[in-house]
Amino acid sequence: MQKRTLLKGAVAALALAASPAFAESHGGEKTKVGFVYVGPITDGGWTQGHHHSATEMLKELGEDNVEMVYQENVAEGPDSERVMTQMALDGADIIFTTSFGFMDPTINVAAKFPDVKFEHATGYKTAPNVSVYSARFYEGRAIQGTIAGQMTKSNVVGYIGSVPIPEVIRGINSAYIHAKKVNPDVQFKIVWIYDWLDPAKEADAAKVLIEQGADVILQHTDSTAPLAIAKEAGNVIGFGQASDMYEYAPSPRVSSIIDNWAPYYTARVKAVMDGTWETTNTWDGIGPGMVGIGEITDAVPADVKAQAEEMKAAIAAGTYHPFTGPLKKQDGSDWLAEGEVADDGTLAGMNFYVEGIEGDIPQ
Amino acid sequence: MDLSAINPVLLLASLMVAATPILLGGIGELVVEKSGVLNLGVEGMMITGAIAGFAATIETGSPALGFLIAAVAGAALSMLFALLTQYALANQVASGLALTLFGLGLSSLMGQGYVGLKPPSTPKLDIPLLSDIPFLGPVLFQHDPMVYIGIAIVAATWATLKYSRVGLVLRAVGENHDAAHALGYKVRLVRCAAIGFGGAMAGLGGAYLSLVRVPQWTEGMTAGAGWIALALVVFASWKPWRVMVGAYLFGGITVLQLNLQAAGVKIPVEYLSMSPYIITIIVLVIMSSGRGKAALGAPASMGRIFHATG
């Protein structure tokens, strides 16, 4: 009995001792923002893009108002829960988890910390304190496909896939549809490396694709290794992925898809500061500026460049959707009728290739 | 499916390139283990070599100097391990793991200023006559010098271990350090030298990644190559030539599965791409049990702490 009272007393004392600190971290002026990254902030691609946007957010809102913490190289899966939990315990008000594989861990940790807001990139599971956000990268892929289809002389385009999830498959489909449109003979060779960042494997994959005749390399992996290999090979072009990768311009990097998360991060952190944060599902593209198209270099002929820029303008204005019928699935069944536009639900869960792509999606 | 798209010449040629980093790391670790020490820090030394070699090449413009510095850096890091395990008598497994973690951290710190840079390319040897032989020429004789240096190191290691007095002493120390000590051999000195050699080789392997195979610096770019090198030694049951066969096998699987994918062959590539890691896990499990260790022909004193008494 006595013991229990003692324990109770200790708990009360702890709570008392903790509460001023608690009040300070939450009721104080600074909003604490956490970022969980899958790779190093210097990967040259995906994580660098997120970190760059995060620092832009910090600049925009001011270091007097926002405190930023981040953790690099967090493995997808259970270990990420530990990182998120630690951030939440350290008083983070909002935590951004920036890789698809952080989805379930984010939901699990969010359930334990109902007062902390979570934002998960590229996923689809939400909760009262979990929002999801992603970018319509496939809009950028349409432009890449248009350029790739016309730039290839061998009619073989190599595609380095990371992990076979809808986001990556959407990109392949979008690039293929638009390459095919400008070059009916084009063929896609797709290689999966089952990782987001593994420079040695990305380099090997690029080499293999080039050896098998590809002279345009598209990548959905995070490092600049494929561009380094393309440069070495000489007459091969590629595109920047997630970050501009401009250090490989004007060739092999002839353009790029740039992820610009800064406006979103700023708006969301601002919402937490104002107390107006709500669960949302954001999926923005070229129009709102979440997907940027890096400068198309002079290695691309002027007419091709003009065509690509025209498409970019049409997508931004909303007058053109990259998935517009008539389109068939790989097995020949009808998907979209003439003029029909794909709905977001189908796109979000896309698990099929469109007609003409060879090979199967690994299950 | 279009198997004709796979060019066997290019496939075999890129196999040799893909195998070189693990070959170098593996042969170094073989010597270390032959002396009776288990150094699990290969990954850490490799990535330290990768950034040290890369940085040196960028600063000096000379890939040859870059490789040299990489070897020195790998050896220097391994001396930390030698100090811990040979003088402080720390646990080798724990020290090795710590070395890997330390190497990964250190390399990312050293690499801050080198992201996105391109190293001067390592020239390929173009051996007259030999490189013109059809098929064999492009497969065997049109590589960068490190591919051949790697093979030469394997040959030298084999000959030294088998025929020289130095090799005999090294093996004696690895098999029974007490007996070797009683005979008057300097067990600690021999082991430190072996650890240093292992570090230098791992450093070279890392530099090969950052200077030739990728070529660029990215944090964490070894992505487990050090662990594969470690498994390779057990897979090869501590025989130098088998290390080379194993390296080509492991390197070959990597390149082959990408080739098969690109050619559209319907095989479960997931299994192929995970196979080196599965083999790695299996041999590590076997290695950790005492009986398995002996059955595989492991050096008898491997992993045991030596403390000279009397």
Side-chain angles (χ1 to χ4, degrees):
Chain A
M1 197 63 197
Q2 219 173 7
K3 213 178 199 175
R4 188 172 289 170
T5 327
L6 195 71
L7 267 176
K8 263 188 194 162
V11 170
L14 265 176
L16 269 177
S19 54
F22 190 77
E24 202 172 47
S25 69
H26 281 257
E29 285 149 27
K30 279 198 179 185
T31 303
K32 195 163 182 178
V33 185
F35 286 88
V36 181
Y37 299 134
V38 71
I41 56 171
T42 53
D43 67 354
W46 176 258
T47 296
Q48 187 166 323
H50 280 285
H51 189 64
H52 179 75
S53 300
T55 44
E56 292 282 300
M57 174 275 292
L58 193 61
K59 248 185 262 167
E60 180 75 27
L61 297 175
E63 285 191 47
D64 299 337
N65 304 317
V66 175
E67 183 192 350
M68 188 175 105
V69 291
Y70 62 87
Q71 177 79 49
E72 305 169 77
N73 292 319
V74 178
E76 294 188 327
D79 191 45
S80 60
E81 280 192 33
R82 183 181 56 80
V83 175
M84 293 170 204
T85 306
Q86 192 58 48
M87 272 186 188
L89 286 174
D90 288 345
D93 299 296
I94 179 166
I95 298 172
F96 293 90
T97 57
T98 64
S99 190
F100 182 78
F102 295 151
M103 180 161 66
D104 290 333
T106 303
I107 296 290
N108 293 345
V109 177
K112 284 186 240 160
F113 296 93
D115 294 334
V116 180
K117 312 296 183 212
F118 290 83
E119 298 259 355
H120 177 237
T122 69
Y124 52 81
K125 289 186 183 168
T126 57
N129 59 333
V130 180
S131 288
V132 290
Y133 63 102
S134 186
R136 296 179 186 268
F137 305 116
Y138 66 87
E139 295 184 351
R141 292 284 173 196
I143 294 160
Q144 280 189 355
T146 306
I147 298 173
Q150 292 174 89
M151 292 294 284
T152 178
K153 292 184 190 71
S154 63
N155 291 330
V156 179
V157 173
Y159 206 112
I160 306 173
S162 39
V163 185
I165 59 168
E167 179 199 327
V168 182
I169 292 162
R170 256 191 329 264
I172 295 173
N173 281 332
S174 177
Y176 179 77
I177 290 166
H178 294 86
K180 185 91 176 168
K181 219 174 251 176
V182 293
N183 179 353
D185 297 324
V186 81
Q187 184 201 355
F188 267 39
K189 289 197 181 222
I190 302 158
V191 164
W192 299 93
I193 68 159
Y194 300 97
D195 213 333
W196 294 104
L197 176 79
D198 184 341
K201 217 181 254 176
E202 291 171 52
D204 285 343
K207 262 182 225 168
V208 162
L209 290 165
I210 292 167
E211 282 167 10
Q212 295 204 15
D215 59 355
V216 178
I217 301 286
L218 305 184
Q219 66 177 96
H220 204 127
T221 50
D222 297 352
S223 91
T224 48
L227 285 172
I229 297 300
K231 188 173 181 65
E232 208 177 57
N235 50 357
V236 177
I237 61 158
F239 295 83
Q241 166 69 7
S243 286
D244 200 12
M245 303 189 178
Y246 199 76
E247 61 269 27
Y248 285 94
S251 188
R253 174 225 166 271
V254 297
S255 181
S256 59
I257 294 180
I258 305 169
D259 307 348
N260 181 13
W261 310 103
Y264 181 78
Y265 286 161
T266 308
R268 300 303 286 173
V269 174
K270 191 109 202 338
V272 169
M273 293 159 95
D274 300 344
T276 55
W277 190 96
E278 278 179 351
T279 299
T280 51
N281 185 342
T282 306
W283 203 15
D284 283 345
I286 294 177
M290 197 179 259
V291 175
I293 300 297
E295 182 202 323
I296 301 171
T297 64
D298 292 340
V300 178
D303 57 323
V304 177
K305 183 176 173 178
Q307 200 181 341
E309 274 168 354
E310 201 179 308
M311 178 175 286
K312 178 184 161 188
I315 293 174
T319 52
Y320 177 69
H321 191 290
F323 290 104
T324 304
L327 284 173
K328 288 185 176 188
K329 294 187 183 179
Q330 189 185 32
D331 58 16
S333 61
D334 290 323
W335 175 32
L336 297 173
E338 177 81 43
E340 195 186 345
V341 167
D343 61 279
D344 279 359
T346 313
L347 289 181
M350 187 174 256
N351 59 355
F352 59 86
Y353 284 147
V354 293
E355 188 180 34
I357 298 183
E358 289 161 30
D360 296 318
I361 299 170
Q363 295 302 328
Chain B
M1 137 150 108
D2 181 18
L3 276 182
S4 63
I6 302 177
N7 183 336
V9 173
L10 294 172
L11 173 66
L12 289 171
S14 48
L15 179 156
M16 290 184 76
V17 171
T20 300
I22 50 176
L23 174 68
L24 287 166
I27 199 71
E29 179 66 13
L30 179 133
V31 171
V32 177
E33 292 186 10
K34 272 283 183 192
S35 80
V37 178
L38 180 66
N39 184 356
L40 295 181
V42 183
E43 178 89 358
M45 301 185 295
M46 220 167 182
I47 194 141
T48 304
I51 182 57
F54 188 82
T57 307
I58 292 282
E59 301 303 340
T60 65
S62 156
L65 202 60
F67 278 110
L68 193 70
I69 300 281
V72 171
L77 193 62
S78 74
M79 282 303 111
L80 190 63
F81 176 82
L83 193 71
L84 283 172
T85 59
Q86 302 307 307
Y87 291 87
L89 304 184
N91 179 294
Q92 294 182 4
V93 172
S95 307
L97 290 174
L99 196 68
T100 287
L101 295 176
F102 178 64
L104 288 170
L106 180 72
S107 64
S108 92
L109 181 69
M110 285 166 67
Q112 295 292 331
Y114 294 96
V115 172
L117 298 180
K118 284 157 287 196
S121 70
T122 310
K124 293 203 166 161
L125 282 187
D126 210 356
I127 311 163
L129 292 177
L130 283 180
S131 55
D132 298 331
I133 306 171
F135 192 78
L136 283 182
V139 172
L140 296 176
F141 301 114
Q142 286 180 9
H143 291 291
D144 52 277
M146 280 313 291
V147 169
Y148 308 109
I149 292 175
I151 298 170
I153 289 172
V154 172
T157 305
W158 167 76
T160 308
L161 283 177
K162 190 161 171 131
Y163 296 111
S164 79
R165 188 178 168 76
V166 176
L168 194 63
V169 172
L170 184 94
R171 282 188 289 148
V173 166
E175 291 299 336
N176 190 333
H177 48 218
D178 292 322
H181 176 67
L183 285 171
Y185 295 123
K186 299 201 169 2
V187 173
R188 271 205 307 223
L189 190 71
V190 170
R191 287 190 170 167
C192 285
I195 292 168
F197 176 78
M201 290 304 111
L204 277 185
Y208 191 79
L209 269 176
S210 63
L211 290 177
V212 182
R213 187 163 162 212
V214 174
Q216 58 167 226
W217 164 250
T218 313
E219 227 181 290
M221 68 181 302
T222 45
W227 295 108
I228 294 187
L230 209 55
L232 201 55
V233 181
V234 189
F235 175 80
S237 50
W238 294 270
K239 296 196 168 55
W241 290 115
R242 287 201 204 162
V243 167
M244 196 166 109
V245 172
Y248 285 168
L249 202 64
F250 284 12
I253 289 172
T254 316
V255 179
L256 181 68
Q257 66 98 352
L258 292 170
N259 262 292
L260 290 175
Q261 279 198 57
V265 179
K266 283 180 189 157
I267 49 145
V269 286
E270 299 91 330
Y271 298 108
L272 260 185
S273 50
M274 71 168 98
S275 56
Y277 299 95
I278 289 179
I279 298 173
T280 306
I281 292 168
I282 293 171
V283 292
L284 283 175
V285 167
I286 295 173
M287 191 161 72
S288 63
S289 83
R291 214 181 297 159
K293 207 154 109 179
L296 284 167
S301 290
M302 190 169 79
R304 282 172 44 205
I305 290 173
F306 171 71
H307 181 53
T309 42

